[in-house]
Structures are given as C-alpha cells and as structure tokens.
Amino acid sequence: VSPYALFLAEGSYYVIVSMSGYGRLLHYRCDLMEQVELTEQPIREAETLIECRDGLDVAAYVNRTIYHTDVHELHTVLCAENLTGSLIDAFGDAVHMRPEGETVRAEIDAPWEMVHRFLVENLKHATLLAPAWRRAQIREELLSALSTYPQG
C-alpha cells in the first residue's frame, strides 16, 4: 500500500492510499486499521494514477468520496475563538477566518454537509450567518428536534 494523505471527515481520520495492481485511490479509516507496519517497498507515485495526473487534490477527493458532491457553497459562520483549530481541521484551506472581538468570523467554501456537521457538533459555540436560506433550514431542523423533547 502506498499512503499519500491523511484527512479528517465525519469525525474520523482516514488515509488515502493506492494498492499495487489497483489503478485508483482508496481510503481507509485509521481507527479500524490493524497490523500496520512500515516496509522498505517504494511508494507508488500518485501521478501514475489516472485520477492524479495533475497531482492529488485531497479536498476534491474527500468531497467526491465522503460527501459525494463537488458542489461548494460559501457559508459565513460566527464562532467562539477556541474553535479556530476545529475549523482548520474540518475545512483546511477552504476556511478564511477573521477575529471579531472574542469570536471569529469564518468564511467557509465547502459542501453543505461538511458545514452542517460542524454546526451541529458545535451548537453552543457556532452560528451560521449566511446564506440566509441555509440558516432558516438549520433553524427548522433544530426546532423540529426540540419538539421531540416536550417539557414535563
């Protein structure tokens, strides 16, 4: 196996690899791997694979294989300053942050599924500001979830 990149998606770390005799990329969840060992075998250059002729684009691979989309949207999120590391882990170079007092305004160019997961995982510390229709969508989801827990 030739490893190329490590990425975080859906709360788990994955490694992108190729296997000899198999002409495309694969990915494996790191926490499910067993009996991993370092060998002296040379790594297969990623550019020898058809899908990597112009180099390995990790973000495009993750969007295509994990989130099953190539559609990106621009999202504006206001979050607690202590979430900057989580933003970078989740979105890499697709996030641009600007401090605003004790918060951070993040412009995220990513698939909605990725942003949605981040927001749900950080409900108390992250607020979607834009686009307005996605803000309305997540608000409806939260109200619907709240209705399953009536008082009493």
Side-chain angles (χ1 to χ4, degrees):
V1 173
S2 295
Y4 301 116
L6 188 66
F7 66 91
L8 175 67
E10 299 296 311
S12 296
Y13 282 96
Y14 295 81
V15 63
I16 300 174
V17 303
S18 70
M19 297 175 83
S20 59
Y22 197 70
R24 45 184 298 236
L25 294 172
L26 303 167
H27 60 275
Y28 295 101
R29 242 177 68 183
C30 294
D31 62 323
L32 300 178
M33 298 169 89
E34 296 179 2
Q35 300 179 353
V36 176
E37 63 183 65
L38 186 61
T39 68
E40 296 297 322
Q41 295 177 357
I43 292 177
R44 179 179 182 177
E45 294 296 323
E47 289 75 17
T48 64
L49 302 169
I50 293 171
E51 60 195 306
C52 296
R53 291 224 171 116
D54 296 324
L56 174 58
D57 183 340
V58 175
Y61 178 84
V62 172
N63 290 338
R64 188 175 65 253
T65 61
I66 303 294
Y67 298 106
H68 306 289
T69 184
D70 287 327
V71 177
H72 284 228
E73 299 174 11
L74 186 59
H75 305 89
T76 304
V77 175
L78 190 65
C79 61
E81 193 175 31
N82 66 341
L83 289 179
T84 56
S86 297
L87 284 163
I88 293 167
D89 285 346
F91 305 108
D93 61 2
V95 62
H96 300 281
M97 295 176 275
R98 184 176 73 235
E100 287 191 2
E102 294 184 13
T103 62
V104 172
R105 179 179 293 263
E107 301 292 334
I108 305 167
D109 184 17
W112 169 242
E113 293 80 4
M114 291 175 71
V115 176
H116 183 271
R117 180 179 177 90
F118 179 84
L119 292 167
V120 170
E121 288 176 348
N122 297 285
L123 278 177
K124 291 184 177 183
H125 307 288
T127 304
L128 181 66
L129 301 177
W133 71 278
R134 288 290 194 197
R135 181 178 168 89
Q137 179 182 348
I138 201 161
R139 184 178 191 286
E140 287 302 314
E141 287 176 24
L142 293 171
L143 288 172
S144 176
L146 186 60
S147 71
T148 64
Y149 294 93
Q151 288 185 340

